[in-house]
Amino acid sequence: MANTELEKRKTTAAGTVTPAEEPSAEWGWHGSFPKGTLIAGVFTGLAMFVMLVGNHHGRTEDLWLIGIGLTTLAGVAWKIHKNRTSWRR
């Protein structure tokens, strides 16, 4: 059964991550880019719609571009919604 309590990161007295818990801490920063990921997702989704302009002979390419663009933007919207409501649990 899943535990609903948040796990705490093990840190040193200075507030840094211990290398025993996260070995990548020995060679540098190992975080994520939350804002960068969202910006890249929006850029990629919009780039799919820009690619609709071109010399397409059939509509199959257009359907794939629209589907991938909408799916990407829906994923970004879901992530933003999840981040905003996560503190309410």
Side-chain angles (χ1 to χ4, degrees), residues 1 4 10 14 16-19 21-22 27 29 34 36-37 49 51 53 57 62 67 70 78 86:
M1 190 161 141
T4 58
K10 293 184 180 180
T16 59
V17 178
T18 59
E21 288 295 316
E22 297 182 21
W27 50 267
W29 186 75
T37 303
F49 296 119
M51 284 191 263
V53 179
H57 295 288
D62 294 344
L70 288 176
W78 176 74
S86 65

Side-chain angles (χ1 to χ4, degrees), residues 10 12-13 15 19 33 63-64 66 72 79 84 86-87:
K10 293 184 180 180
T12 62
F33 299 99
L63 293 176
W64 276 100
I66 291 169
T72 303
K79 179 69 174 165
R84 287 187 179 176
S86 65
W87 63 273

Side-chain angles (χ1 to χ4, degrees), residues 33-44 73 75-77 79-80 83:
F33 299 99
K35 288 183 183 179
T37 303
L38 295 177
I39 291 169
V42 170
F43 176 77
T44 303
L73 292 176
V76 169
K79 179 69 174 165
I80 291 172
N83 287 346

